[in-house]
Amino acid sequence: MDNTSGLAIWIELLPEPLLVLSGEGTLLALNSGAREFFATRQLTNGHGSQPLLGQSISAWVATPKEQLQKYLSLWRQATQMVPGSLMLRPTGDSPQKIEVEAVGIYFLESRPILVRVRKERQFLQRFIEQRAHFQKMQQQMAQQTALILELEQRKRLLEAENRQLQSLSQRDSLTQLANRRAFEVGLRRAWQEATSSGIPLAVVMLDIDHFKLYNDTYGHLAGDRALQRVAKAIKSQVRDADLVARYGGEEFVVLLRQTHHDVAICVLERIFKYIRGLKIPHATSPVQPYLTLSAGICIATASMTDCPMAALVASADAALYHAKHGGRDRYSIQAYPTAANDCPLPTHNPQSLD
């Protein structure tokens, strides 16, 4: 039995590149997979034509004839697939190596050879290319991730710097207390809080007695140190929820949240006692031989109106003036609002604290 035409029909059904060679190497049949495979490589038989039926394989491969004959003899006698390699001769290019495997077709009398082109090398090359592409994508993703992390870090740094700048904008550089602007913000919030709770708040204005004489006597550097010590002393005697600010020059203001009359008096007497206990020398003071304070307190019950900031500060300042007019080293209390004919409450001189 010798029917290569039937064999050609059979191999046409398979997708992989398949050839049928005679025992001497003549091309007897090839399927569509083989035609496509060789067409993409622009093979030539030396005259510019593609591999055709009836051609010898030696016409379009560059494999030495001795090696090719050894392959043909081995394949013809093989009863299972035997690997080999061929050097194709593409048009205008250097030879290209391909891997094949072949076996003799034993049930045909002429013992033709079935050759399968192994495309694994092509697949491997494609895999290598895809892997390289994937690695490149990974590198790009890693670079993008690093860029995102860097941007997020810069954002956090900018946010921290912004918070620091905001904090600095609301803080007095000398005493490290809140400044006047921060006090005004705090007072508005405390007023809203007092409106909801119905519990009064207190605004306290404090002034260092005869501070100009202190600067004239000890110098401005000593005056700055005295301001820092007084600021620290006041801060140490109030609650964490309360706000202490430098209002300007030697003036300080304290916001006591949710504070009744008796509590405000208690806090202020603690401040006076602490300042007296420091005994900061003030030899030219006509009040005491050490630094003293005067203070004015405004006790206010909040209403649904907007925070009357200027009026609250003015009431505390009026009480402070009353304490100074009464001889200094004392405090005076005033309620808000007061009628036009009302006067501040009596001035308190906490001499018993000595």
Side-chain angles (χ1 to χ4, degrees):
M1 178 180 175
D2 196 349
N3 187 358
T4 55
S5 60
L7 186 60
I9 296 174
W10 179 76
I11 66 172
E12 189 66 35
L13 299 175
L14 301 175
E16 55 190 343
L18 293 170
L19 311 172
V20 179
L21 303 176
S22 69
E24 291 74 25
T26 302
L27 181 60
L28 302 178
L30 72 167
N31 66 356
S32 58
R35 287 192 292 272
E36 180 182 356
F37 179 82
F38 290 121
T40 58
R41 283 154 179 78
Q42 300 181 351
L43 301 181
T44 177
N45 60 1
H47 301 287
S49 60
Q50 298 295 327
L52 298 175
L53 296 177
Q55 283 186 335
S56 172
I57 189 174
S58 61
W60 43 272
V61 299
T63 305
K65 291 185 178 181
E66 296 80 4
Q67 182 63 40
L68 184 59
Q69 289 301 321
K70 289 181 180 180
Y71 277 144
L72 292 173
S73 176
L74 180 61
W75 291 343
R76 187 169 56 246
Q77 300 175 31
T79 56
Q80 59 183 9
M81 285 290 189
V82 175
S85 59
L86 298 175
M87 298 296 294
L88 301 182
R89 187 187 293 128
T91 303
D93 201 352
S94 58
Q96 179 182 358
K97 184 178 181 180
I98 64 171
E99 300 295 329
V100 298
E101 56 184 7
V103 65
I105 305 176
Y106 66 90
F107 56 82
L108 295 180
E109 293 180 0
S110 60
R111 197 76 172 190
I113 302 168
L114 177 66
V115 180
R116 181 175 78 90
V117 179
R118 298 174 60 183
K119 300 176 69 174
E120 286 83 353
R121 294 181 65 86
Q122 181 181 356
F123 293 157
L124 179 60
Q125 181 63 31
R126 186 177 301 173
F127 170 76
I128 294 172
E129 292 173 356
Q130 290 177 346
R131 184 177 64 179
H133 179 66
F134 177 72
Q135 291 174 341
K136 184 177 180 181
M137 290 181 62
Q138 281 185 316
Q139 292 176 353
Q140 292 175 346
M141 290 179 64
Q143 292 173 352
Q144 291 176 353
T145 301
L147 179 60
I148 292 172
L149 292 175
E150 182 181 356
L151 291 175
E152 289 179 348
Q153 184 177 7
R154 289 183 180 180
K155 180 183 177 183
R156 288 193 294 270
L157 290 174
L158 288 174
E159 289 174 346
E161 290 177 359
N162 184 53
R163 288 193 297 270
Q164 184 178 9
L165 289 173
Q166 187 174 5
S167 176
L168 291 174
S169 70
Q170 297 182 350
R171 190 165 299 279
D172 176 64
S173 59
L174 176 63
T175 63
Q176 296 304 305
L177 295 177
N179 59 18
R180 187 167 178 170
R181 174 185 175 187
F183 166 74
E184 291 174 352
V185 172
L187 181 55
R188 289 191 183 94
R189 292 175 180 170
W191 184 264
Q192 294 174 354
E193 179 184 278
T195 301
S196 302
S197 67
I199 303 175
L201 58 82
V203 176
V204 183
M205 296 291 294
L206 301 104
D207 186 83
I208 300 177
D209 295 327
H210 298 293
F211 191 67
K212 183 179 184 304
L213 287 176
Y214 187 93
N215 278 330
D216 292 342
T217 303
Y218 300 100
H220 288 284
L221 289 178
D224 288 346
R225 288 193 293 270
L227 286 172
Q228 290 170 339
R229 294 184 68 183
V230 170
K232 186 176 180 180
I234 297 173
K235 181 72 173 176
S236 69
Q237 299 305 303
V238 301
R239 301 166 299 184
D240 291 339
D242 298 326
L243 178 64
V244 182
R246 185 183 181 192
Y247 202 70
E250 68 272 19
E251 278 191 322
F252 300 90
V253 61
V254 179
L255 171 61
L256 302 175
R257 292 182 171 89
Q258 299 189 4
T259 302
H260 292 283
H261 174 275
D262 294 342
V263 175
I265 295 299
C266 180
V267 171
L268 199 54
E269 288 187 345
R270 283 206 312 266
I271 292 173
F272 270 78
K273 181 178 180 180
Y274 196 90
I275 294 295
R276 286 165 176 251
L278 293 178
K279 294 191 179 296
I280 302 173
H282 191 349
T284 55
S285 171
V287 181
Q288 297 287 355
Y290 48 82
L291 191 144
T292 58
L293 296 178
S294 296
I297 311 173
C298 172
I299 307 291
T301 300
S303 63
M304 296 302 293
T305 60
D306 290 338
C307 177
M309 184 176 304
L312 292 173
V313 172
S315 294
D317 198 50
L320 171 63
Y321 176 81
H322 190 269
K324 287 185 175 182
H325 188 72
R328 290 183 169 86
D329 190 22
R330 65 198 66 213
Y331 60 85
S332 178
I333 307 171
Q334 180 165 305
Y336 176 88
T338 59
N341 57 354
D342 284 345
C343 294
L345 276 69
T347 301
H348 291 259
N349 181 13
Q351 296 295 335
S352 60
L353 299 179
D354 288 336

